[in-house]
Amino acid sequence: MNGFALGADQEEWCGQLRALSAQRLRPLAEKGEPGRVNRPLLAALGELGLLERVFTAGALDLCLLRESLAYGCTEAETALALQGLGAYPVLRAGSAEQRERWLPQVRAGRAVAAFALSEPGAGSDAAALELAAAPDSAGGWVLSGEKCWISNAPEADFYTVFARTGEGPGAKGVSAFLVPADRPGLTGEPLDMLSPHPIGALAFDAVPVGPADLLGEPGRGFRVAMDTLNLFRPSVGAFAVGMARAALDATLAYTAGRSAFGGTLSGLQAVGHRVAEMATRTEAARLLVYAAAGAHDQGAADVPRRAAMAKLLATETAQYVVDHAVQLHGAVALQRGHLLEHLYREVRAPRIYEGASEVQRSIIAKELYRGVAGEAAAR
């Protein structure tokens, strides 16, 4: 499986992306208003062809893209990823009219997309969502209920919305809709989060949608959501790996030059052993992410398990590495504006969104026991 050793062209591309992220995209990110969609940053991602790459790349290239951008500018990485997450269901399940209307604008960074799955009472248990899609007299539906913790809300130009149409219980009764932001009855408000990304809550007060707004078939929306998450979960791990690598490199530079106890911090065995552990865990997570992405690109049957393992290990590893990087830097890393202060706030959320670590463990266990049952049935 390709993914354990990158080719020279891939390594060169990643290096170019890291430099581009730090030199061109980070200044745009720093000019943005915390908690708001940064449209100039999105426009730059479009001009550079990076948003186009999200929709044409395989899973491995998507991981390399997200890891490299995260190393130099987490805001640029997140802006790019949210465009992909919100619009990928349109690419996969949308009609020709929906794709022609929205995808060119998303790729250019002129239209902002959002993925609206989570609800106040349905976060990790996404199949328990309650946003109701009640049939209307015109052959369509009206949406009533709430969504919460929706990235790019309430400033997105359109939302991929998952609602209960009731064809069956649980996940079998969920449909996906493309809902433009100007649809009557749709309102929202921003949420003030630990890391100041554009995240908000949405309220649906009898929002009208019709058959032309469906993404795919009625009652098949949960599959649209899961296919999207299976593609993006390994690349969430790549985002985490990018942050871990940035924290590790900052720690190496700092401890090698920081005078302490008659030498440098790097000369202390306790410091050296901790840095070695940080580096080893980061490399292990990186390789597992690449392996999961390679499995997705090859159409392997065990993608859900591999994607869950990659997201789990990489996000937990990034939390460990960033936390220890802060410890080795000391108080300087707690100052507002320091790279590690920034990463410390950024690194926490990936262990929750797109399936919390506990959900990933449940997926892994379910897939492992499914394999055991299959082997038993074959005997």
Side-chain angles (χ1 to χ4, degrees):
M1 177 182 297
N2 185 20
F4 292 95
L6 299 181
D9 290 345
Q10 291 172 309
E11 293 282 9
E12 181 180 1
W13 182 56
C14 289
Q16 292 170 350
L17 286 172
R18 288 193 294 271
L20 183 69
S21 179
Q23 296 167 14
R24 177 161 179 186
L25 299 177
R26 189 190 297 162
L28 290 173
E30 291 172 348
K31 292 178 182 177
E33 183 178 347
R36 301 292 303 274
V37 171
N38 189 328
R39 290 184 182 262
L41 179 60
L42 278 175
L45 290 167
E47 291 168 8
L48 293 167
L50 299 180
L51 290 173
E52 175 70 23
R53 195 74 179 249
V54 171
F55 297 99
T56 58
L60 179 58
D61 275 357
L62 179 59
C63 286
L64 299 180
L65 176 58
R66 293 188 67 178
E67 177 189 329
S68 302
L69 289 182
Y71 184 92
C73 179
T74 58
E75 295 94 333
E77 186 284 333
T78 300
L80 175 135
L82 294 180
Q83 287 288 83
L85 186 66
Y88 182 76
V90 182
L91 177 70
R92 179 187 177 276
S95 65
E97 182 178 353
Q98 288 170 328
R99 293 195 297 268
E100 291 169 6
R101 166 68 181 86
W102 290 106
L103 292 183
Q105 299 298 312
V106 171
R107 288 173 164 134
R110 291 191 293 267
V112 179
F115 185 83
L117 178 63
S118 296
E119 297 180 4
S124 294
D125 186 7
L129 63 85
E130 296 180 353
L131 180 69
D136 65 15
S137 58
W141 301 264
V142 290
L143 305 180
S144 299
E146 298 176 90
K147 293 290 182 183
C148 197
W149 307 296
I150 306 304
S151 294
N152 284 342
E155 298 182 66
D157 296 304
F158 73 91
Y159 299 90
T160 296
V161 177
F162 300 90
R164 187 162 298 285
T165 46
E167 287 78 10
K172 296 180 180 179
V174 174
S175 297
F177 298 92
L178 191 162
V179 183
D182 60 0
R183 198 60 60 89
L186 176 58
T187 58
E189 61 179 8
L191 298 174
D192 189 9
M193 308 295 285
L194 174 65
S195 187
H197 293 301
I199 297 176
L202 299 172
F204 295 79
D205 183 9
V207 175
V209 291
D213 297 314
L214 270 170
L215 291 171
E217 301 174 11
R220 301 294 298 274
F222 198 73
R223 175 46 52 196
V224 173
M226 292 303 105
D227 285 350
T228 301
L229 293 176
N230 281 336
L231 171 63
F232 278 85
R233 273 176 179 152
S235 68
V236 173
F239 170 43
V241 168
M243 289 190 285
R245 293 184 70 188
L248 175 61
D249 284 354
T251 302
L252 288 170
Y254 181 78
T255 55
R258 178 72 159 88
S259 297
F261 307 108
T264 62
L265 284 177
S266 60
L268 300 175
Q269 186 182 68
V271 172
H273 284 188
R274 187 173 299 192
V275 169
E277 184 71 17
M278 292 161 64
T280 302
R281 293 194 188 196
T282 300
E283 186 67 8
R286 186 185 187 206
L287 294 177
L288 189 58
V289 165
Y290 293 174
H296 187 284
D297 287 342
Q298 293 178 8
D302 58 353
V303 167
R305 175 177 64 82
R306 287 179 175 273
M309 285 180 167
K311 182 182 186 294
L312 172 65
L313 182 64
T315 56
E316 296 284 339
T317 294
Q319 181 79 57
Y320 172 91
V321 170
V322 172
D323 183 64
H324 283 272
V326 169
Q327 191 70 21
L328 290 174
H329 277 73
V332 67
L334 300 178
Q335 290 181 281
R336 186 71 71 178
H338 192 280
L339 169 66
L340 289 174
E341 180 270 336
H342 171 76
L343 292 177
Y344 199 72
R345 287 182 289 110
E346 290 276 345
V347 79
R348 188 59 183 87
R351 291 172 58 204
I352 296 174
Y353 65 63
E354 294 186 41
S357 292
E358 292 75 15
V359 171
Q360 303 312 317
R361 291 186 176 97
S362 294
I363 292 171
I364 294 163
K366 180 181 178 180
E367 294 296 319
L368 290 171
Y369 283 114
R370 189 199 307 274
V372 171
E375 292 173 2
R379 288 198 291 267

